Amino acid sequence: MKEYTAPLARLIDELKHLPGIGQKSAQRIAFYLERAPRDDVQRLAEALLDAKDKIRLCSLCNNLTELDPCEYCSDPRRDPEVICVVETPYNVVSVEKSREFRGHYHVLHGALSPLQGIGPEQLKLRNLIERLNGGTVRELIVATSPTVEGEATAVYLAKLVKPLGVKVSRIAMGIPVGSDLEFADEVTMLRALEGRREM
Amino acid sequence: MPLVETEAIVLRTHRLGEADKIVSLLTRQLGRLRAVAKGALSRRSRFGSALEPLSYIRLWIYDREGRDLQRLGSAEVVESFFEMQKDYRMQVAAQYLAEVTERFLPDREVNERAFRLLMAVLRALKHFGEVNRPLLFFDYWLLRLGGFLPDLSCCMKCRKSFAGQAGFYVESSESLLCSACRSGGSGTQLSAQALALIDEFRSARIEEWLRMKKAPAGSRELRLFLEQVIEAHLERKLVTRRLLAEEG
């Protein structure tokens, strides 16, 4: 005898494909949806399809958007002379949380990771170079993750962009706010010292 | 569940859920294994940079035999290779070492010599800033330690010694033929200079060999052949090999 009836088994199976969802989480979500009012489930299904159909990449910055160019690229209050380079679209949200950055973005959709077969060709670099060749951009802020992959990507970008006469800066790295020096390892401490500033 | 302290080299990590990581490790006392590092991606992670690829770390692991995934208690950096991998070419080279090690060595089999080989080659990459010869040294010794190194002194068909002559091989082949035995002039040549290199580094420590002279002729062609032998043995293409080739 089958463990679950066919439509429920199919739903669990589909949910299991989502990142971070294992068998147990998939079962829990499937049973919740089965008990939920039909309208709620319909809204969820429509939202999923709507997002899939309407979201595309901004032709300028590669961020996820419904309109092309995206709201950041088309906002006249933002400074087009400064571009912040991030790995993923949700990194844009993280930078925006600071409420300090008012420039434009560029999303690479990854970082150099040889083990995953991601080299420079797999990153969205071509339209970045096109933007920089336009002559408007004064500074490129590289906000890739403080990992081996993020650092290699930052250094690679700097080498690529500096000959174009654009200033390249890297976000600071080091001790997280609210942490303690006692727990900093050698790499973190080195980064914190390198990124120190005059007061 | 016993808490075991061991030294390890981080081979690769995968994201698991919101803030955890699965870490593939080559440990000194337990061999190659995988473990879950809870909260490794969170802002207050107790692992810091210890789980970055190729870090040489000391770790405490909850080891339960028969389990596919162990649990990592804590880890601290003994020696970091983070700075070295800021250079993309070095990153590709370092991750080639990780990929080959992960594919080549069996699970849970202690291999002290492979551990020391990987450490020595990582240090050579870091200190000499050169990719080609450290990888050649690694390929040769890993194949030799594993017992998969073909006889490179003579033709596999007629057994005639190369003695100053070039060898030839075809794609996915694991051994060499002499010019007389190769069919219809086919195959890639492995020069006599490349074959002679083996004698240079067979009896030397890696740092001694790297100090001897800069970029000896034939080292790249010998490395490309040994990479092919590794792929043939693994019966799969290495992802990092393609990127290494692109980097020249």
Side-chain angles (χ1 to χ4, degrees):
Chain A
M1 205 170 89
K2 284 181 185 166
E3 212 172 333
Y4 297 113
T5 181
L8 193 60
R10 185 182 157 209
L11 178 58
I12 292 170
D13 200 43
E14 291 299 330
L15 288 167
K16 266 166 45 185
H17 290 121
L18 299 174
I21 307 283
Q23 175 72 23
K24 285 209 168 68
S25 301
Q27 282 172 15
R28 210 164 35 240
I29 297 167
F31 280 113
Y32 169 80
L33 292 172
E34 195 276 322
R35 282 194 301 266
R38 194 177 193 286
D39 285 355
D40 289 3
V41 179
Q42 182 143 8
R43 270 202 308 280
L44 175 65
E46 282 169 4
L48 288 170
L49 286 171
D50 206 35
K52 188 68 201 161
D53 293 341
K54 289 182 181 166
I55 292 175
R56 55 187 148 165
L57 297 187
C58 171
S59 56
L60 292 175
C61 71
N62 309 313
N63 195 8
L64 298 178
T65 181
E66 188 178 355
L67 299 167
D68 189 15
C70 71
E71 58 178 309
Y72 298 113
C73 291
S74 55
D75 186 345
R77 291 165 300 174
R78 299 190 81 101
D79 181 2
E81 292 186 358
V82 186
I83 291 180
C84 178
V85 180
V86 294
E87 288 175 22
T88 62
Y90 43 82
N91 291 153
V92 170
V93 180
S94 306
V95 179
E96 279 298 294
K97 274 184 191 164
S98 72
R99 296 196 192 92
E100 278 293 314
F101 181 68
R102 300 299 299 161
H104 285 198
Y105 289 98
H106 190 88
V107 186
L108 295 173
H109 288 270
L112 293 174
S113 177
L115 273 169
Q116 290 173 44
I118 303 175
E121 286 297 309
Q122 282 69 43
L123 300 181
K124 296 214 177 283
L125 291 169
R126 199 162 296 152
N127 57 348
L128 174 64
I129 301 302
E130 282 167 15
R131 292 173 84 183
L132 300 179
N133 279 332
T136 314
V137 182
R138 185 172 39 84
E139 183 179 359
L140 197 72
I141 302 171
V142 186
T144 49
S145 300
T147 58
V148 161
E149 289 81 5
E151 275 295 282
T153 308
V155 173
Y156 184 87
L157 259 180
K159 278 186 190 163
L160 195 69
V161 169
K162 273 187 177 164
L164 304 175
V166 176
K167 178 184 170 187
V168 184
S169 58
R170 178 84 170 106
I171 53 166
M173 272 171 253
I175 316 293
V177 176
S179 180
D180 197 308
L181 282 185
E182 190 187 339
F183 299 107
D185 61 36
E186 60 172 82
V187 178
T188 311
M189 202 62 221
L190 175 69
R191 282 312 160 104
L193 285 168
E194 278 176 355
R196 71 188 186 278
R197 61 191 167 85
E198 198 176 325
M199 296 180 74
Chain B
M1 203 181 329
L3 185 65
V4 180
E5 180 184 344
T6 180
E7 288 168 14
I9 301 164
V10 178
L11 299 177
R12 78 161 86 192
T13 60
H14 306 271
R15 199 182 176 127
L16 176 70
E18 294 260 315
D20 306 336
K21 272 183 179 178
I22 293 178
V23 193
S24 174
L25 300 153
L26 177 65
T27 69
R28 200 159 214 156
Q29 281 92 336
L30 303 168
R32 194 175 62 75
L33 54 81
R34 297 194 318 149
V36 174
K38 287 268 179 198
L41 288 167
S42 72
R43 190 172 59 86
R44 284 171 176 251
S45 164
R46 62 190 181 282
F47 297 106
S49 67
L51 303 183
E52 287 302 307
L54 283 317
S55 295
Y56 174 31
I57 60 176
R58 180 172 298 109
L59 57 86
W60 288 264
I61 195 164
Y62 294 97
D63 182 40
R64 188 183 277 180
E65 281 221 32
R67 268 201 165 185
D68 183 38
L69 271 179
Q70 307 301 332
R71 189 156 67 84
L72 211 54
S74 57
E76 62 183 33
V77 179
V78 177
E79 188 172 347
S80 172
F81 295 95
F82 189 102
E83 291 296 308
M84 173 187 93
Q85 292 178 82
K86 278 162 69 175
D87 179 282
Y88 175 60
R89 196 156 177 262
M90 296 302 253
Q91 186 201 18
V92 176
Q95 298 200 4
Y96 168 82
L97 299 176
E99 186 181 14
V100 173
T101 305
E102 195 181 37
R103 303 278 178 217
F104 203 89
L105 298 179
D107 271 1
R108 306 284 304 197
E109 205 172 285
V110 179
N111 193 331
E112 170 69 19
R113 288 198 290 181
F115 188 92
R116 281 194 280 124
L117 171 67
L118 182 55
M119 271 313 300
V121 176
L122 279 170
R123 284 175 178 148
L125 279 175
K126 186 175 172 179
H127 294 131
F128 291 89
E130 182 195 329
V131 164
N132 197 37
R133 283 187 294 167
L135 295 198
L136 167 60
F137 190 90
F138 176 80
D139 291 342
Y140 176 86
W141 279 105
L142 194 72
L143 283 167
R144 196 164 158 183
L145 292 175
F148 299 105
L149 187 73
D151 187 350
L152 301 176
S153 64
C154 62
C155 170
M156 75 156 183
K157 207 167 174 184
C158 68
R159 310 306 297 171
K160 189 180 151 199
S161 168
F162 289 122
Q165 300 294 311
F168 296 87
Y169 63 97
V170 290
E171 206 184 324
S172 74
S173 159
E174 289 184 59
S175 51
L176 298 172
L177 293 170
C178 64
S179 57
C181 291
R182 66 177 173 145
S183 56
S186 63
T188 308
Q189 178 178 301
L190 191 59
S191 68
Q193 281 173 311
L195 287 169
L197 264 182
I198 297 168
D199 287 332
E200 267 189 27
F201 64 77
R202 196 164 40 192
S203 54
R205 294 165 71 93
I206 187 167
E207 61 272 23
E208 288 167 3
W209 182 52
L210 292 177
R211 272 193 208 104
M212 267 198 254
K213 55 183 175 184
K214 290 278 177 201
S219 57
R220 188 163 185 274
E221 51 178 308
L222 181 57
R223 176 169 69 80
L224 294 180
F225 170 67
L226 294 178
E227 281 174 5
Q228 176 176 305
V229 176
I230 289 172
E231 277 191 345
H233 167 66
L234 295 174
E235 295 178 348
R236 66 184 298 159
K237 294 278 178 201
L238 294 163
V239 178
T240 47
R241 194 183 169 203
R242 175 180 59 82
L243 296 171
L244 261 181
E246 282 172 12
E247 282 302 292

